Amino acid sequence: MHLTPDQQAILDGARGPFLAKCLRWLVEWGDAMGARRLVPVTNTHALVTVPGNLVAHAGEKSLEATMELLREACRHPVCCLSTSHITFAHEEQYDEIEMPPEQVAAQQEIEGMAADAGFLMLYTCAPYLVGNVPVKGEVCAWTESSAVVYANSILGARTTRHGTESAIAAALTGWVPEFGVVLDENRRATLQIDVSAPLRSSADWGALGYFTGQAAGLEVPVLAGTPRPSQDDAKQLCAALASGGGVSLCHIAGVTPEAPTLEAALGGRPPEHRITFGPDELLATYAKLRNHTGEEIDTVILGCPHASLQEVAHIARFLKGRRLAEGVTLWVCMAYPTRAVAERLGFARWISDAGGYLFVDTCPTNSMRVRANRIVTSGFKQAHYARGMIGAEVIVDSLEKCLEAALAGRWNEAG
Ligand code: F3S
């Protein structure tokens, strides 16, 4: 890889051993991926926090190793807008989820250090809802695969799928290796998905995303024939694209900023592959993400990815004056700023009066590993991961059907 004199100096230790290590990570990763140079990055979204599973599943050695990395990182100021992915829990929730003391101590230490270094600790998997909205063409370094797809496909920004180390290295050095969807030539769609299924809910967009993610492999897909998605539809689509497969970018003809037409998405060439997403594929994709052996449910998870204010308001209006069925736990997950507004506007009270939890900064499965036997969720990503991470049976359905199940204590397929 060609390095500029400035980059070579950092690699040689001119700004200290930790930044030299950061630059080496980026160079070695870039070399492995065929990058020829490092390019400036102006926006990062990193997992700066301590994921709970490091403690729960790997023991203290991993926690200490992670803490050492973060302590080193936070001694250096960030050089661009840098926000943070989910954490283990918000401090108000430490007792409620019986957070281990060593985890509490680690998280509190990191929070102070990270703020000093300039990280904006948003603690969300949907940073584009609460203040981190990159512009078209902006080179980013984001963790969280669903947010990566959203940034590339809906906002027209450019980010490969980062891990904690590379995103932190990018935040501190201001560089990323140029490969993958950062380059024009890798953003052209080669797989055309002809959509003829009716998309009546955000969950239907999730089904389309899951189907497309599974079909795409390493190709860039383009969706043809869809209506214009809402922000919440797009959120579900992008999360499912990233969990059904390894997609980083999916064009929606007429919606993705650089794809005003199908022809533009395909770069003026015919697609290399073409498949249909019709009513049968829609039903089959829902069926694939349902592994339940009965219809009684004990858990409902909404807000995967983290809920928008509009979703929270919708949930609140649905639940106002009603009560969840006995034995049902409803998690509505969101970023802290979203809950703050929901509290100000009265929506939070309607949800909690009905018996639901507004859970902030974290994720019931990915981070907290809640206990559940049978979950109903509107998120295909949640449905994909919940069975493996917490061993629960899962049913995926629209937001309204999930809420009806929460009130009835059972999921009604026909309802
Ligand atoms: Fe966010 Fe957890 Fe879903 S991290 S995208 S709520 S699986």
Side-chain angles (χ1 to χ4, degrees):
M1 185 188 299
H2 171 76
L3 297 181
T4 65
D6 280 355
Q7 293 163 352
Q8 188 64 52
I10 296 172
L11 192 62
D12 292 342
R15 291 176 58 197
F18 188 72
L19 289 192
K21 181 157 72 174
C22 286
L23 208 83
R24 196 173 67 248
W25 285 338
L26 297 170
V27 168
E28 288 177 354
W29 185 34
D31 277 340
M33 302 305 291
R36 296 201 175 147
R37 60 178 185 163
L38 300 174
V39 291
V41 62
T42 51
N43 185 316
T44 74
H45 184 62
L47 189 67
V48 185
T49 49
V50 179
N53 57 7
L54 286 177
V55 177
H57 300 281
E60 295 207 7
K61 194 156 173 255
S62 286
L63 173 64
E64 200 38 50
T66 305
M67 288 303 291
E68 268 316 303
L69 167 69
L70 296 176
R71 282 187 198 112
E72 275 291 350
C74 292
R75 288 189 190 112
H76 305 271
V78 299
C79 52
C80 59
L81 171 61
S82 298
T83 53
S84 69
H85 189 10
I86 58 167
T87 185
F88 191 76
H90 188 276
E91 63 183 346
E92 295 163 11
Q93 297 157 176
Y94 290 166
D95 289 343
E96 195 169 346
I97 63 165
E98 297 170 6
M99 188 152 153
E102 65 272 25
Q103 186 84 48
V104 172
Q107 189 164 312
Q108 288 174 334
E109 183 185 345
I110 290 166
E111 284 183 345
M113 294 189 305
D116 280 347
F119 287 102
L120 306 181
M121 306 300 273
L122 284 178
Y123 297 135
T124 181
C125 49
Y128 45 88
L129 295 179
V130 287
N132 189 348
V133 190
V135 297
K136 182 186 174 194
E138 183 168 9
V139 176
C140 305
W142 278 21
T143 59
E144 174 47 45
S145 56
S146 69
V148 165
V149 182
Y150 193 99
N152 282 309
S153 312
I154 307 302
L155 304 176
R158 299 186 170 211
T159 175
T160 54
R161 293 165 70 136
H162 277 257
T164 296
E165 289 84 353
S166 65
I168 289 174
L172 299 181
T173 64
W175 306 103
V176 283
E178 187 182 42
F179 68 88
V181 294
V182 175
L183 288 162
D184 285 344
E185 61 261 36
N186 296 325
R187 295 179 72 87
R188 185 178 77 82
T190 55
L191 168 66
Q192 180 173 327
I193 309 286
D194 294 304
V195 181
S196 59
L199 301 174
R200 298 193 177 97
S201 67
S202 295
D204 286 352
W205 282 88
L208 171 60
Y210 199 82
F211 173 88
T212 303
Q214 291 207 308
L218 295 177
E219 288 193 84
V220 174
V222 55
L223 307 179
T226 70
R228 179 176 298 276
S230 68
Q231 184 187 55
D232 293 330
D233 297 336
K235 184 159 66 79
Q236 287 306 326
L237 171 79
C238 294
L241 278 159
S243 46
V247 170
S248 297
L249 162 66
C250 172
H251 296 284
I252 310 170
V255 173
T256 300
E258 65 213 79
T261 62
L262 178 60
E263 293 68 32
L266 291 163
R269 291 184 238 166
E272 289 168 22
H273 303 101
R274 191 168 175 178
I275 53 178
T276 297
F277 182 77
D280 291 347
E281 286 77 15
L282 177 66
L283 289 177
T285 308
Y286 272 103
K288 195 176 276 185
L289 270 291
R290 291 173 181 162
N291 68 342
H292 58 110
T293 56
E295 298 198 333
E296 293 74 27
I297 55 108
D298 61 294
T299 304
V300 180
I301 299 177
L302 304 175
C304 170
H306 276 177
S308 67
L309 183 61
Q310 171 144 311
E311 285 175 311
V312 175
H314 183 66
I315 293 164
R317 283 198 299 272
F318 193 101
L319 293 178
K320 187 180 183 189
R322 302 163 93 177
R323 188 77 201 159
L324 302 186
E326 191 71 28
V328 171
T329 304
L330 167 65
W331 306 99
V332 186
C333 308
M334 66 198 76
Y336 186 82
T338 306
R339 189 178 73 178
V341 179
E343 284 171 345
R344 174 75 177 78
L345 300 179
F347 296 126
R349 170 62 74 85
W350 297 351
I351 294 172
S352 51
D353 281 354
Y357 291 102
L358 291 90
F359 231 64
V360 295
D361 297 355
T362 190
C363 167
T365 48
N366 225 341
S367 187
M368 287 169 47
R369 314 286 167 113
V370 298
R371 287 186 206 97
N373 294 318
R374 190 172 297 137
I375 296 170
V376 187
T377 180
S378 58
F380 271 76
K381 177 173 176 180
Q382 191 70 226
H384 176 88
Y385 285 113
R387 66 192 65 202
M389 285 187 165
I390 58 176
E393 291 188 7
V394 180
I395 302 165
V396 62
D397 211 331
S398 69
L399 187 69
E400 291 74 17
K401 293 283 294 291
C402 290
L403 289 168
E404 283 164 9
L407 294 172
R410 56 185 295 120
W411 174 70
N412 179 359
E413 181 165 21

